[in-house]
Amino acid sequence: MAAQAAAAGAAFEQDIHHDPKQKPQNVCVLGGGNFGTAMAFLAASKSHSVRWYCRDPKQAATITSTRRNPRYLSDIELPEGLQATANVSEALQGATLVISALPAQATPHFIEKYRGDIPADAIFCCTSKGLYLEEGCFLSEAMLRAFQRPQTLAFLSGPSFARQICERHPTALVCASAKLADAVQVQFALSSKRFRVYASQDTVGVELGGALKNPLAIGAGMIEGAGFGINTLAAFVTRATR
């Protein structure tokens, strides 16, 4: 698998949405977990200048020196052109696109604490899935309250495992923002032959879809654990999505 992934690397880096006049962006990735690793991998593969915030200084130093995340997907070699740091201000400085892979419930608190470091003109693209439980609202609503100012938000969601993104399995997601042009900007920044991003203005649908798939997944796991087959699973999914 590793050899196949390496052989596919050159093709992966040829962007299907590539505009020769498009300049590389300053991208900040927040979160040193599995999906943060995948987002940093994607952005660096597109030749963007990537600064990656990881809370653990030792983890950040190892990523920068070895191009591997020692804690998550450690067998994946990361592209050149990314720098990890445990300093939030350093990671966010000059960013035009901020990709947040922080846990959903921690995201508004992070924004409230560090909003002064987040460039006001940057697109803040959230990959977290779920509603905000503390206030019983959409995550976007809690995020905007935390910013206490207008901020362009985008939501990237879809069926995607971090490892398979890094192994260059063909993957498709949707990015939604209130203004289609902002979603398209994220689309162009991340899309490639093997990672397709579709642009949308349906932020409510993308947020709800990312949240509501979780109980469906739990129910499907319970059905499989109980020893039932495809008939039962199909019935559950059909009825649950009505």
Side-chain angles (χ1 to χ4, degrees):
M1 178 62 72
Q4 292 174 343
F12 175 78
E13 293 175 4
Q14 295 298 315
D15 182 11
I16 56 171
H17 299 296
H18 179 63
D19 179 352
K21 298 180 181 179
Q22 186 184 23
K23 296 180 180 179
Q25 296 191 45
N26 293 325
V27 177
C28 171
V29 176
L30 302 174
N34 280 323
F35 214 75
T37 302
M39 293 298 100
F41 180 96
L42 281 173
S45 294
K46 291 295 299 290
S47 300
H48 297 302
S49 176
V50 180
R51 291 187 178 180
W52 181 6
Y53 168 70
C54 302
R55 186 172 56 180
D56 181 1
K58 292 183 179 179
Q59 180 188 14
T62 301
I63 290 171
T64 299
S65 62
T66 68
R67 288 169 50 202
R68 293 181 186 271
N69 186 339
R71 298 182 62 182
Y72 300 91
L73 305 178
S74 58
D75 58 320
I76 300 293
E77 183 175 358
L78 300 168
E80 297 180 356
L82 63 83
Q83 180 180 357
T85 177
N87 185 303
V88 176
S89 298
E90 181 182 347
L92 288 163
Q93 186 176 9
T96 56
L97 173 61
V98 179
I99 304 175
S100 174
L102 300 170
Q105 306 310 314
T107 299
H109 295 291
F110 179 91
I111 291 171
E112 187 173 15
K113 184 175 181 179
Y114 295 109
R115 60 174 170 256
D117 295 308
I118 301 171
D121 58 350
I123 296 176
F124 193 94
C125 180
C126 182
T127 66
S128 307
K129 298 176 177 68
L131 302 174
Y132 188 53
L133 301 180
E134 185 175 314
E135 298 179 10
C137 63
F138 285 107
L139 185 58
S140 58
E141 295 174 322
M143 289 166 62
L144 285 175
R145 282 194 287 270
F147 271 115
Q148 296 184 2
R149 67 174 190 241
Q151 185 80 36
T152 299
L153 300 182
F155 291 86
L156 184 67
S157 186
S160 51
F161 288 102
R163 172 170 291 279
Q164 293 183 20
I165 291 173
C166 294
E167 290 178 345
R168 303 182 174 95
H169 293 217
T171 302
L173 286 83
V174 62
C175 178
S177 188
K179 293 182 179 179
L180 187 62
D182 295 324
V184 169
Q185 187 170 333
V186 178
Q187 177 189 42
F188 272 66
L190 297 180
S191 285
S192 69
K193 277 190 174 181
R194 292 173 180 250
F195 189 84
R196 292 292 301 267
V197 178
Y198 295 88
S200 170
Q201 290 179 277
D202 184 12
T203 56
V204 172
V206 170
E207 284 193 76
L208 279 178
L212 297 179
K213 61 90 177 171
N214 291 326
L216 285 176
I218 293 171
M222 293 173 65
I223 289 170
E224 183 175 356
F228 296 116
I230 298 299
N231 287 3
T232 311
L233 181 60
F236 167 72
V237 171
T238 300
R239 300 302 301 176
T241 54
R242 288 178 64 86

